[in-house]
């Protein structure tokens, strides 16, 4: 493939024939696209080539980080490109995604990696699917309420594995070794902080879409895995500790705003997780001073209000009708976080960062 752009898109994919074509086509208009078919036994390679990608085929799967490392080595990407964008095989980019993210990085040399807004591909067939609705709700809530504020303070602590653009030299260092956590991007953001490679930026105007699980078992497993990887990184990299040892600093300590922001996030998550366990007994103990129905009413009113706001922002009024299901899944989400904490305690590291992707649906014409 003749080099036509300063950005290379790299996609590691296993058995993604249903989605890889759309991912490659959305990226090929704005970057040179390279796909690693990681032990696929379907038509992934054929579909990716037809869509415009250069493909490396591997007979056996080694997991996403291993596949990305092989793709970078085979195609010499970090030697020939300024930026490396890592996408999932079900990611769709807006036509100006690369331009917006790289322009932000061009304007600030301290940015090591940048990702844009991610939304759920919520097609007509699955318009009443509660799991897709829950992801659409969650993405918008987190990006608006948390990530934009973190970006303003230069303390973004999450890299989106589906749509992140890295400086080539940063990417080379990050994939030099295997990720020891369940999620590679959780390891990468922790390494960026540990090695002081720069900061992570969030570019809200750069839009992308992903296919989310549409069945409960897939949704639950993926949600647990995401949180498990995050809690592994908290434990393994001691994230949330604002004072870091640094022999080069006076006093041997370095203050980290990134970790202070991470600590604030963890302190926010703690009551969120424990609320369903703590509030019922408290409501019972203080029932003579406060009618428990007031607590129920407050929870329902605030939840419905927030869901209504998201429905307006996303222009998806059906979210309001799905509100009871979303509130139920919100309680299950807290269970997944507790499940993930237990997993991180007993399984703090993994030998190989590999997983089986949830069943994905073929995209309808957009």
């Amino acid at each position: 493939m003749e080099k036509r752009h300063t950005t290379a898109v790299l996609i590691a994919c296993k058995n993604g024939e249903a989605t890889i074509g759309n991912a490659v086509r959305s990226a090929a208009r704005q970057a040179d696209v390279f796909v690693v078919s990681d032990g696929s036994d379907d038509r992934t390679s054929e579909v990716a080539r037809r869509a415009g990608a250069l493909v490396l085929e591997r007979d056996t799967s080694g997991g996403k980080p291993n596949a990305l490392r092989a793709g970078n080595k085979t195609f010499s990407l970090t030697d020939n490109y300024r930026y490396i964008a890592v996408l999932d095989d079900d990611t769709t980019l807006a036509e100006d995604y690369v331009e917006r993210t790289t322009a932000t990085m061009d304007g600030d040399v301290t940015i090591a990696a940048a990702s844009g807004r991610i939304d759920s591909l919520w097609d007509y067939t699955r318009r009443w699917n509660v799991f897709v609705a829950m992801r659409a709700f969650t993405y918008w809530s987190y990006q608006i309420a948390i990530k934009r504020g973190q970006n303003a303070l230069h303390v973004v602590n999450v890299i989106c594995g589906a749509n992140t653009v890295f400086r080539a030299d940063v990417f080379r260092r990050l994939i030099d070794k295997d990720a020891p956590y369940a999620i590679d991007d959780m390891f990468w953001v922790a390494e960026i902080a540990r090695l002081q490679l720069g900061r992570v930026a969030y570019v809200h105007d750069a839009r992308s879409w992903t296919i989310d699980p549409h069945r409960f078992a897939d949704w639950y497993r993926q949600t647990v895995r995401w949180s498990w990887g995050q809690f592994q990184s908290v434990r393994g990299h001691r994230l949330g500790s604002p004072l870091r040892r640094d022999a080069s600093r006076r006093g041997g300590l370095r203050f980290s705003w990134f970790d202070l922001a991470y600590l604030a996030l963890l302190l926010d998550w703690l009551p969120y997780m424990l609320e369903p366990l703590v509030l019922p007994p408290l409501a019972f103990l203080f029932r003579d001073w406060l009618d428990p129905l007031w607590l129920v009413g407050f929870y329902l009113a605030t939840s419905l209000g927030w869901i209504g706001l998201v429905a307006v922002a996303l222009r998806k009024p059906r979210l309001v009708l799905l509100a009871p299901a979303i509130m139920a899944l919100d309680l299950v989400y807290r269970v997944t976080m507790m499940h993930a904490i237990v997993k991180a305690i007993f399984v703090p590291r993994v030998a190989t960062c590999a997983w089986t992707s949830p069943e994905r649906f073929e995209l309808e014409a957009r």
Side-chain angles (χ1 to χ4, degrees), residues 163-216:
N163 67 357
T164 296
V165 182
F166 299 88
R167 293 192 187 276
D169 59 329
V170 171
F171 184 69
R172 182 188 295 113
R173 295 188 65 177
L174 293 178
I175 64 168
D176 185 53
K177 55 185 176 181
D178 288 329
Y181 306 146
I183 301 293
D184 47 5
D185 37 290
M186 298 300 180
F187 174 69
W188 292 340
V189 74
E191 283 289 275
I192 288 174
R194 182 182 72 84
L195 298 172
Q196 300 182 59
L197 300 178
R199 69 180 180 91
V200 177
Y202 172 61
V203 187
H204 187 72
D205 292 334
R207 298 199 62 187
S208 61
W209 297 264
T210 188
I211 296 176
D212 287 298
H214 54 287
R215 296 177 179 174
F216 177 77

Side-chain angles (χ1 to χ4, degrees), residues 43-204:
R43 297 171 52 250
T44 291
S45 298
E46 175 189 342
V47 174
R49 286 193 183 97
R50 188 182 304 156
L54 197 61
V55 179
L56 168 64
E57 296 184 62
R58 305 212 304 171
D59 294 333
T60 58
S61 175
K64 181 179 175 181
N66 185 277
L68 294 175
R69 186 162 54 250
N72 179 58
K73 181 179 179 180
T74 299
F75 300 120
S76 301
L77 300 183
T78 52
D79 293 330
N80 292 296
Y81 290 89
R82 185 173 185 180
Y83 298 111
I84 311 296
V86 176
L87 307 186
D88 283 345
D89 62 10
D90 58 358
T91 299
T92 301
L93 300 181
E95 61 183 13
D96 60 351
Y97 185 90
V98 171
E99 178 185 357
R100 287 182 179 274
T101 50
T102 56
T104 299
M105 298 174 78
D106 286 341
D108 187 342
V109 297
T110 68
I111 298 175
S115 61
R117 174 178 167 182
I118 191 83
D119 287 303
S120 188
L121 270 168
W122 198 359
D123 64 1
Y124 183 79
T125 301
R126 277 151 286 272
R127 63 193 182 279
W128 297 110
N129 186 284
V130 296
F131 307 109
V132 178
M134 179 62 180
R135 279 289 170 80
F137 170 76
T138 303
Y139 287 153
W140 189 92
S141 298
Y142 187 83
Q143 289 171 146
I144 291 296
I146 304 293
K147 215 166 182 181
R148 293 193 78 172
Q150 289 180 337
N151 189 61
L153 297 173
H154 293 185
V155 291
V156 174
N157 59 14
V158 172
I159 284 178
C160 180
N163 67 357
T164 296
V165 182
F166 299 88
R167 293 192 187 276
D169 59 329
V170 171
F171 184 69
R172 182 188 295 113
R173 295 188 65 177
L174 293 178
I175 64 168
D176 185 53
K177 55 185 176 181
D178 288 329
Y181 306 146
I183 301 293
D184 47 5
D185 37 290
M186 298 300 180
F187 174 69
W188 292 340
V189 74
E191 283 289 275
I192 288 174
R194 182 182 72 84
L195 298 172
Q196 300 182 59
L197 300 178
R199 69 180 180 91
V200 177
Y202 172 61
V203 187
H204 187 72

Side-chain angles (χ1 to χ4, degrees), residues 122 128 133 137 303-312 315-327:
W122 198 359
W128 297 110
F137 170 76
S303 297
L304 284 171
W306 188 251
I307 292 171
L309 178 64
V310 177
V312 172
R315 299 180 182 178
K316 302 288 187 184
R318 59 182 176 272
L319 272 174
V320 176
L321 298 178
L322 292 169
I326 291 174
M327 285 188 281

Side-chain angles (χ1 to χ4, degrees), residues 282-350:
L282 286 179
F284 178 78
L285 288 174
F286 294 100
R287 63 188 182 279
D288 292 335
W289 290 274
L290 181 65
D291 188 341
L293 290 178
W294 280 101
L295 291 176
V296 175
F298 178 78
Y299 172 75
L300 292 176
T302 53
S303 297
L304 284 171
W306 188 251
I307 292 171
L309 178 64
V310 177
V312 172
L314 294 180
R315 299 180 182 178
K316 302 288 187 184
R318 59 182 176 272
L319 272 174
V320 176
L321 298 178
L322 292 169
I326 291 174
M327 285 188 281
L329 284 176
D330 178 64
L331 295 176
V332 178
Y333 186 83
R334 303 173 201 225
V335 174
T336 68
M337 294 180 74
M338 290 185 277
H339 184 174
I341 287 176
V342 173
K343 288 196 72 170
I345 292 172
F346 289 99
V347 189
R349 299 172 73 88
V350 297

